[in-house]
Structures are given as structure tokens and as C-alpha cells.
Amino acid sequence: MMKGTVMSGEMDKPLISRRLVDSDGSLAEVPKEAPKVGILGSGDFARSLATRLVGSGFSVVVGSRNPKRTAGLFPSLAQVTFQEEAVSSPEVIFVAVFREHYSSLCSLADQLAGKILVDVSNPTEKERLQHRQSNAEYLASLFPACTVVKAFNVISAWALQAGPRDGNRQVLICGDQLEAKHTVSEMARAMGFTPLDMGSLASAREVEAIPLRLLPSWKVPTLLALGLFVCFYAYNFIRDVLQPYIRKDENKFYKMPLSVVNTTLPCVAYVLLSLVYLPGVLAAALQLRRGTKYQRFPDWLDHWLQHRKQIGLLSFFFAMLHALYSFCLPLRRSHRYDLVNLAVKQVLANKSRLWVEEEVWRMEIYLSLGVLALGMLSLLAVTSIPSIANSLNWKEFSFVQSTLGFVALMLSTMHTLTYGWTRAFEENHYKFYLPPTFTLTLLLPCVIILAKGLFLLPCLSHRLTKIRRGWERDGAVKFMLPAGHTQGEKTSHV
């Protein structure tokens, strides 16, 4: 009977503690007796850090120069006091003050001796160039009796308040003592983050440089996209605006803000989408030529392969802009005037019905293929989001990004061909002897589609599969047997 009572009592307990649910829904374990944690500083980051620590079950003591004024800004469960009192009992103390204020903490050196100081600061670009030492190394030089660990500097105040579900999960940690790094790592896990060991404290300079970088992986793709936009815009301007003005004395400059831009956007989107799949074709051709996968690609090709995601997202961006601009075309005043003029011409020509069957079918197919291509690009863009990509296994991700991506390229090619129709063969569409823009954009995708088709041939497909599974054309490894063995040498293909 006693056993049943005990089991009933156990069953009455909640499966998930309220403390964990109230923090962020994470099931990270917090020690039963959470150690007291100190925070030096009362700024925005210190307040967000205190909120996160309290929500994760830690006892927080905040040290401030003016505790009465700042107490109301912190959670009610956090104790706000003077700096001298805040550092007396905690073993782990977060230093959330700027580098220029580190020297003001020197009066606490005796009380901080033997404790772990977690530096969360970030320098400005000017400060980083001015000082050779990182903030963490400078802090360690001021407090040689303490153990300094660099951590949480790449986590924003918003991510601390909202939890790791709405921000970056990784906490980069570096320090010279393994035990101190382990302590901080366990705290990061308890707060719902993922610690990543970056090595010794000498790595702090590199870690502190990370928040100063502004989209480093987007620089080259963005410059590429802007370059393509400028080139295609200039080309379309010459054909659609300058040529009528010079040859026919027609003022078409009103087309520059909308019509010429809308003609340029799909060209950029189409070429960028082609540039996503071109490096894969070049890499496959290079592996077939070399007969092995164990040789590094050239640096330019390696960097190109690494930037495919950014190029693809920029392609989707320009395609979306093209769709929005296309919806705006009928709203233009010039479009309304063109409709009125067309109606007047039809009346003067005594035509009761203007209907070209071929043009009707062409536009229907053209628009349908465009919508399908944009839908495929949207799917590719959504699956490139880290939270979505992490929920897919490799086969699913490869199918979406590779197979469906190539389908998007095919649909875009058919969309472009349907748009062009017979214009490439009509002389009046060659203005200043320049071919229509869509003919230029078709060159690269057609080469990629042709190469993809060649790689599907059994002779090339089988060989490429063997190479990617480790086979080498000149991979004969010779094993020499001992001199007294009855057989000669043997050759084994690995």
C-alpha cells in the first residue's frame, strides 16, 4: 500500500518543471542548486543577460554604481546592489561594461581574485584597429589573478531576451583554462544556447571581429547582382529609349523608372539563377577531366560554390521585384493612353474585333510558366532558411535545391522562350543592330541545360558516380610483398 502511495505521489508531479517552461521552452538542464552569478554593468545587454539568467533558474546579483536608479530596470528576482557587494559571493561574474571602463574595476581586484570573469564586450571598428590586444586579453592583463573567458559577445540583447528560438543559438567561447570554459559552456547550455569552443584566449580578437562584419558572404554576390543590373539596364536603355529618340525623334524617357527597370529585373534574376548551377557543371567537368575527386578545385571555383546560396536568394529577390513591377504596369498613365490610342486606331481602321489567336496563346503560356517558375524559386528560398533546412535530411534538401532548382531553371528558360517567341528572327527587333535582351540571357542557361543533359548519358553518369564514390582513374596502388615470397608484386585498385 505504501508503494502505491509513493507511485501516486510521483505520478502527480509535472513532467516538465515550470521553471524550464517559463524560460523558453528549452529542456536544458539547470543544476538543482544553481550557483549565484554576478553581472557588472547596468546597460541594455546586462539587463537582457540578467533576464535570461533569471529565466533559466540562476540566482543573479547585479553590480551597479547607482543601484537605486537602475534597480527598476532589472527583473524583480535579480538583486541589484553596489559592485563591491555583487562580486563577493558569485564565482562567475559577467563583465558587461565597455573597454574604457575596465580600469574602474581595478579597485575590486582583491575581491575578484580566483573568480571567472566572462567578457561579453565588443570593440568598435576604430578600437579594434587602434588596440593590438583584444578586450578579453586586456581584461586578463588588468586582473592576472582571475580567469578570463570570452563568451556571449556574438549573441544580441534581443536573442537573450527572446530566447534561442528567435536568434542565433551559438555561443562562441575561448579561454586558457578548460575548467573555466566548461563552466561557462554549461551555463550557456542551461540558458538554451549551443556553446562552441574557439580555443585559447588568443582567439578572442578573431571572435570579437565577428560582430563587426557586415554580411561578409553577401559582398561578392551583391556586387555581382548590381553589376548585372547596371549592364542590362544600360543595354535596355539604349534599345528602348535612346534608339527611338535618335532614329524616330520619339521621347521614350518616361520608360526609365518603371518599364526599363522591369525589363532589366528578369534578365538579372535569370542570369543569377544560371550562375547558381554553372559552378556545379564546371566542377563535374573538372572531376571527369581529372578522373578523381581528391584534387582541390581552383580557389575561384571553390568560392563560387560557397556563394551559391546567396546568389540564389538574390535571384529570387529580383524575380519577386519583376512580378511586383509587372503588376504595376497597367496602372501607368502611359499604358492608359496607349489603350485609348489603340482603340482609336481600331475604329479608324473599321476593325470591329482585334484578336490574334497566336498572341493570346503565347501570353497565356508565358504568364503560366512565369508563375510556376516563381513558385519554384519561392520553394528554394524557403528551404534555404536554416530552421527549415535543418528539418530536412540530406536527400530531401538535395532534391529540393538540386532537382527542383534545375526544374526552376527549365521553367524560367521556357518562360523566356515563350516571351521571345519569333522576335529573335525579326529584323525590326534589332535596334542599333543589338539583339533583343532575352537572346543574351538565354546563352548561359542553354549551355547549362545542355551540359546537364550530357551528364545524364550513361557513359558520363556512371563514370561521374564512380569518381564521387572514391574511384580514381590513375588510382592503382602497388603493394610490394616481402623478398622471400613466392609471388611477385600485386596491384590493387582502391
Side-chain angles (χ1 to χ4, degrees), residues 200-436:
S200 66
L201 198 62
S203 304
R205 186 171 178 82
E206 179 182 350
V207 173
E208 291 176 1
I210 293 176
L212 299 177
R213 300 171 185 167
L214 180 61
L215 304 174
S217 60
W218 286 86
K219 184 177 179 180
V220 173
T222 302
L223 291 176
L224 173 65
L226 290 177
L228 287 172
F229 182 85
V230 170
C231 292
F232 278 116
Y233 186 88
Y235 190 87
N236 290 323
F237 173 79
I238 294 172
R239 282 179 41 84
D240 299 340
V241 178
L242 199 59
Q243 192 269 352
Y245 182 76
I246 294 176
R247 292 289 177 86
K248 304 177 182 178
D249 199 24
E250 295 179 359
N251 188 348
K252 300 284 186 179
F253 287 92
Y254 67 88
K255 289 187 174 183
M256 292 176 59
L258 189 66
S259 181
V260 178
V261 172
N262 191 47
T263 308
T264 303
L265 289 173
C267 299
V268 179
Y270 191 30
V271 172
L272 286 176
L273 182 61
S274 305
L275 292 176
V276 172
Y277 295 97
L278 180 58
V281 171
L282 296 177
L286 200 58
Q287 288 179 337
L288 285 172
R289 182 177 178 274
R290 292 173 173 176
T292 180
K293 71 171 185 178
Y294 296 110
Q295 292 186 26
R296 286 183 56 86
F297 295 130
D299 289 339
W300 60 268
L301 181 57
D302 191 43
H303 292 151
W304 193 350
L305 289 167
Q306 294 175 11
H307 286 98
R308 286 180 296 177
K309 174 182 175 180
Q310 290 78 14
I311 296 175
L313 289 175
L314 286 172
S315 172
F316 171 69
F317 172 72
F318 280 93
M320 283 297 300
L321 286 181
H322 171 54
L324 294 175
Y325 269 76
S326 298
F327 280 120
C328 296
L329 289 179
L331 302 178
R332 299 176 301 162
R333 182 68 62 181
S334 59
H335 179 74
R336 299 179 186 180
Y337 289 155
D338 286 338
L339 288 178
V340 173
N341 292 332
L342 181 61
V344 171
K345 288 181 180 179
Q346 186 177 349
V347 171
L348 294 176
N350 292 323
K351 292 183 179 180
S352 59
R353 186 170 183 265
L354 182 61
W355 183 275
V356 181
E357 189 75 17
E358 181 181 340
E359 282 297 304
V360 171
W361 275 98
R362 182 183 72 85
M363 286 302 297
E364 294 289 327
I365 298 173
Y366 161 71
L367 292 174
S368 178
L369 290 172
V371 172
L372 289 174
L374 183 60
M376 283 293 180
L377 283 176
S378 303
L379 182 60
L380 295 175
V382 169
T383 53
S384 66
I385 299 174
S387 58
I388 304 297
N390 292 337
S391 66
L392 303 175
N393 60 40
W394 171 246
K395 188 173 183 179
E396 294 168 341
F397 183 79
S398 177
F399 172 76
V400 173
Q401 294 293 329
S402 181
T403 306
L404 295 186
F406 186 70
V407 171
L409 182 63
M410 291 286 294
L411 289 171
S412 301
T413 303
M414 296 168 63
H415 175 67
T416 306
L417 288 171
T418 311
Y419 168 79
W421 210 246
T422 59
R423 298 180 188 179
F425 309 104
E426 298 173 1
E427 185 179 353
N428 62 321
H429 286 97
Y430 284 76
K431 301 176 181 180
F432 280 150
Y433 303 102
L434 298 175

Side-chain angles (χ1 to χ4, degrees), residues 21-26 52 159 162-169 192-193 387:
V21 174
D22 289 343
S23 59
D24 70 331
S26 167
R52 189 76 198 141
R165 294 171 299 180
D166 297 324
N168 183 20
R169 291 184 59 89
F193 295 99
S387 58

Side-chain angles (χ1 to χ4, degrees), residues 442-490:
L442 281 169
L443 295 176
L444 192 57
C446 289
V447 170
I448 296 172
I449 293 172
L450 179 62
K452 285 277 190 178
L454 290 176
F455 290 152
L456 291 177
L457 296 176
C459 55
L460 295 179
S461 176
H462 179 65
R463 186 178 182 87
L464 190 59
T465 302
K466 287 173 59 179
I467 290 173
R468 289 174 175 174
R469 292 177 64 88
W471 177 85
E472 292 185 273
R473 181 176 56 196
D474 300 323
V477 182
K478 296 183 178 181
F479 296 95
M480 300 299 294
L481 296 174
H485 204 275
T486 56
Q487 297 180 357
E489 65 179 33
K490 290 187 178 181

Side-chain angles (χ1 to χ4, degrees), residues 69-83:
R69 186 179 63 181
T70 58
L73 302 175
F74 286 85
S76 57
L77 295 178
Q79 179 186 354
V80 182
T81 182
F82 290 100
Q83 293 179 342

Side-chain angles (χ1 to χ4, degrees), residues 159-176:
L160 284 171
Q161 285 189 345
R165 294 171 299 180
D166 297 324
N168 183 20
R169 291 184 59 89
Q170 282 191 341
V171 174
L172 307 185
I173 299 174
C174 60
D176 292 332

